[in-house]
Amino acid sequence: MVVKQKWEKIEKWVSRYGIWIVLVVLAIYYGIRMWTLDPWYDELYTYYSFISRGPIYAGIHWPVPNNHMGYSVAGGFLNYLGNSTIGLRGAAFLASLGNVYLIYRFAGYFWNNLLALISCLLFAGAFLINYLAIQGRGYSFATFWLLVSVHCLYQICVKEKEKLWLYCLFGFSFIIGLYTITSSVYWVLPVCFTGGLYLLLEKKYKSLGKLIFASVLAAVGTFFVYSMVWLAIGSNLLSKTVDSGYYGVYQVKIIVQNPFLALTTGMEYMLATPYIQSKDRGLVVRQFFDWSATLFQQFYSGLGLGLVLLFFLLGLLGIGIAVWSKKQNQKEGLFLGLFLAVFVFAYPCFMIGQSVQPYFRVLSFLAFVLAIGVTCGIAILNRKMQLPFLQGIFLIFVCLLVIGKLASTGYRIPLADRESRIKEIWQEAGIKDRATSICYMDDYQKYVLKFFWDSEPEERYIGEAEFVLLPKEIEQKEYLAKDWPILYTYEEVDWDQLYHGYELIEESDSYKLFQKGN
């Protein structure tokens, strides 16, 4: 009896303060990673090409799918604080903490706080979520808007709140999610289907009409923001194309004179360089389970295929919950069941229907669905077995699992490799922010100088440049093919001028730094 009372007291304390302890610990953990892990190529490219140039520039420039525009705009505003790390990673840091809290709140709609803690911990402990948590990329940021949208959807559907701001926020989350990464469509459509099915089954046709209207407005809003991008792309291409009829004309003038041509030119360019490439449908079908196992391996290693099977079982569980809840007139259960069923089975429909195998990070949001589904299973087991300590035992197990994962070697692998070596050799030389001109021999170099020291030396050829930072692999005569993003081959380097016109001032295992002689 005494033990039971103490256990209940502990559970009550954890229930009240657990989420705040989790958020504080993760804030410290993410903060350490944010400031100690050097950014890798894609992050540096994002900072150099977009974030550092301000939110307006970042919001309308799209040279390649690598620019997550919505994220770059947020980073552009944060960069005004005067720190490159905050500018690059601040939005991801805040979004990652927000994701954990929003999952806790979402799970709290259906279960008690202890089970809600299990949900957010399972999400935070997934490798891919941890890997992306502080990266200056748009994946965690897009997931944040997914979570905002499902919260709005729950309030509209289950709580029957007919608030204009809820519908506006619901649609806005779609716009920002799609503006950040176009592949956010993989969660936008399931959110719409979940809400539509729920309101249809509950015969709430007025609310369904409003939800459809909000979704249509979101589509229009998304088209509008991308139109701004297409106008910028198209006018830029037309001004640089000799036979376009607008060669050398100022871009704003092109948009004023022929906005339709600028718009269609930009649209065609973007559609011609899709973010995710299609593959043979037969290949996608044959490789579906193996590919899915590799994807779920990115969440919890060693459980790939097992998690795939569990994932689809959770989808079937969702159907069962929805059917039972509809009969019992339980709104929360119906919403939860539809959410699980739609998100689980939308995944193979998208992959096979579109004949794609996207980057695993694009589907990182499935960790949210998996966490909610697993918690749902634990909740059902807890209710059936009616053991007073069961949910506490599960919470302890999940805590130990997540702590073990976050402390493991695999979770502490540095993000950057070559980038860190470039940073180190410039630091050793002591002239990182005093160079006036450089012959860049790979793309990493100018990005590193800009991010760490806000330095942008002029780009020059050998003989004209003050410094040359030479990747050692180029010195090998057999190095003929360019290994992107290395810009030179052995044959393209003027070795005589380099060795006789420059002095070697610093050397590492990967680079040689030369300074022009007097």
Side-chain angles (χ1 to χ4, degrees):
M1 189 67 178
V2 175
V3 173
K4 183 179 179 181
Q5 289 177 344
K6 287 185 176 180
W7 181 266
E8 289 176 349
K9 188 176 180 179
I10 292 172
E11 281 192 342
K12 186 177 180 180
W13 188 88
V14 173
S15 178
R16 179 177 296 179
Y17 302 109
I19 183 59
W20 305 113
I21 294 172
V22 169
L23 289 174
V24 169
V25 170
L26 285 177
I28 295 171
Y29 175 76
Y30 289 156
I32 292 172
R33 289 174 62 82
M34 175 178 170
W35 292 98
T36 60
L37 295 179
D38 291 338
W40 66 296
Y41 181 85
D42 277 10
E43 290 183 274
L44 293 173
Y45 171 81
T46 298
Y47 182 80
Y48 181 90
S49 301
F50 310 112
I51 291 176
S52 67
R53 303 189 185 192
I56 296 177
Y57 182 95
I60 61 174
H61 283 76
W62 194 90
V64 291
N66 216 24
N67 180 20
H68 298 168
M69 288 179 289
Y71 183 86
S72 294
V73 170
F77 281 111
L78 289 175
N79 202 50
Y80 287 141
L81 296 175
N83 183 277
S84 58
T85 299
I86 293 175
L88 175 60
R89 290 175 164 175
F93 172 83
L94 294 173
S96 295
L97 290 177
N99 291 343
V100 173
Y101 180 71
L102 288 177
I103 290 174
Y104 173 80
R105 289 295 303 273
F106 183 76
Y109 291 147
F110 314 105
W111 311 297
N112 62 40
N113 290 348
L114 294 180
L115 291 171
L117 272 176
I118 290 176
S119 289
C120 66
L121 285 171
L122 284 172
F123 174 82
F127 171 79
L128 194 55
I129 298 303
N130 179 75
Y131 182 71
L132 296 171
I134 52 87
Q135 284 193 42
R137 311 289 291 134
Y139 303 105
S140 297
F141 190 69
T143 299
F144 175 83
W145 294 105
L146 158 62
L147 293 168
V148 169
S149 71
V150 295
H151 274 273
C152 292
L153 190 66
Y154 179 87
Q155 296 296 323
I156 292 168
C157 292
V158 180
K159 296 300 183 181
E160 301 181 10
K161 292 184 178 180
E162 297 294 321
K163 302 290 186 180
L164 177 62
W165 70 268
L166 274 175
Y167 287 99
C168 291
L169 184 57
F170 176 78
F172 182 75
S173 65
F174 286 176
I175 295 172
I176 299 300
L178 290 166
Y179 184 49
T180 299
I181 309 174
T182 54
S183 55
S184 291
V185 69
Y186 293 142
W187 60 258
V188 166
L189 291 179
V191 170
C192 291
F193 291 154
T194 299
L197 279 173
Y198 179 91
L199 294 172
L200 196 61
L201 290 172
E202 290 291 283
K203 297 181 181 180
K204 296 178 181 177
Y205 303 120
K206 185 177 180 180
S207 296
L208 177 60
K210 291 180 180 179
L211 195 72
I212 292 173
F213 185 67
S215 301
V216 170
L217 285 182
V220 173
T222 302
F223 181 82
F224 175 77
V225 294
Y226 271 102
S227 294
M228 301 299 101
V229 180
W230 294 332
L231 286 170
I233 295 173
S235 60
N236 183 51
L237 290 173
L238 291 171
S239 70
K240 294 180 179 178
T241 303
V242 176
D243 58 353
S244 69
Y246 291 94
Y247 180 71
V249 178
Y250 188 53
Q251 293 180 37
V252 174
K253 189 175 182 179
I254 295 174
I255 294 173
V256 171
Q257 291 182 349
N258 200 334
F260 182 75
L261 179 61
L263 183 74
T264 54
T265 301
M267 186 187 299
E268 289 171 1
Y269 175 82
M270 183 177 281
L271 293 176
T273 53
Y275 184 69
I276 299 171
Q277 303 292 334
S278 295
K279 294 189 176 183
D280 176 71
R281 181 170 282 104
L283 178 67
V284 172
V285 172
R286 290 192 301 273
Q287 295 182 345
F288 179 75
F289 279 100
D290 288 339
W291 186 85
S292 297
T294 306
L295 166 64
F296 282 88
Q297 185 83 357
Q298 298 291 309
F299 295 146
Y300 284 95
S301 59
L303 301 174
L305 186 57
L307 286 180
V308 174
L309 297 175
L310 175 62
F311 188 69
F312 288 108
L313 285 175
L314 293 174
L316 295 175
L317 176 65
I319 294 174
I321 292 172
V323 172
W324 183 85
S325 299
K326 179 60 180 173
K327 290 180 180 179
Q328 300 297 318
N329 197 28
Q330 290 191 1
K331 297 179 179 180
E332 288 84 359
L334 178 60
F335 185 89
L336 176 62
L338 290 175
F339 166 79
L340 284 175
V342 170
F343 266 85
V344 168
F345 294 111
Y347 159 62
C349 290
F350 282 134
M351 299 306 101
I352 296 173
Q354 284 193 304
S355 301
V356 295
Q357 292 179 341
Y359 300 114
F360 294 134
R361 53 187 179 268
V362 165
L363 299 172
S364 59
F365 68 87
L366 290 179
F368 161 52
V369 183
L370 183 65
I372 292 295
V374 170
T375 307
C376 183
I378 293 173
I380 292 173
L381 186 63
N382 185 56
R383 186 180 304 168
K384 293 293 183 182
M385 297 185 69
Q386 293 186 340
L387 295 175
F389 301 151
L390 189 60
Q391 64 182 9
I393 292 171
F394 271 115
L395 179 58
I396 292 172
F397 173 77
V398 170
C399 282
L400 293 175
L401 172 67
V402 172
I403 290 171
K405 287 291 184 182
L406 296 182
S408 66
T409 304
Y411 279 55
R412 291 185 283 110
I413 296 174
L415 300 176
D417 180 20
R418 194 181 194 102
E419 303 85 347
S420 295
R421 297 200 294 269
I422 294 173
K423 170 191 171 186
E424 289 165 3
I425 196 168
W426 279 110
Q427 283 178 324
E428 292 295 324
I431 41 85
K432 63 267 182 182
D433 55 352
R434 293 189 288 106
T436 58
S437 63
I438 295 176
C439 176
Y440 294 110
M441 309 203 81
D442 62 37
D443 273 345
Y444 294 99
Q445 298 174 23
K446 54 186 175 184
Y447 302 160
V448 168
L449 286 169
K450 176 63 177 176
F451 179 79
F452 288 103
W453 301 291
D454 195 25
S455 176
E456 292 187 83
E458 293 182 15
E459 186 169 355
R460 301 287 188 180
Y461 293 108
I462 293 177
E464 300 174 347
E466 179 187 8
F467 293 96
V468 177
L469 185 57
L470 176 75
K472 284 189 173 181
E473 58 263 43
I474 297 180
E475 290 185 302
Q476 303 170 12
K477 290 186 178 181
E478 62 271 17
Y479 189 79
L480 300 175
K482 292 183 180 180
D483 181 17
W484 178 87
I486 296 174
L487 305 177
Y488 282 78
T489 67
Y490 177 87
E491 297 295 336
E492 293 172 326
V493 177
D494 188 338
W495 296 105
D496 183 67
Q497 192 169 55
L498 177 63
Y499 289 145
H500 293 91
Y502 288 80
E503 175 187 357
L504 178 64
I505 61 171
E506 197 67 48
E507 183 175 2
S508 68
D509 58 346
S510 304
Y511 283 92
K512 290 182 177 180
L513 179 59
F514 294 87
Q515 184 173 14
K516 193 172 185 180
N518 296 325

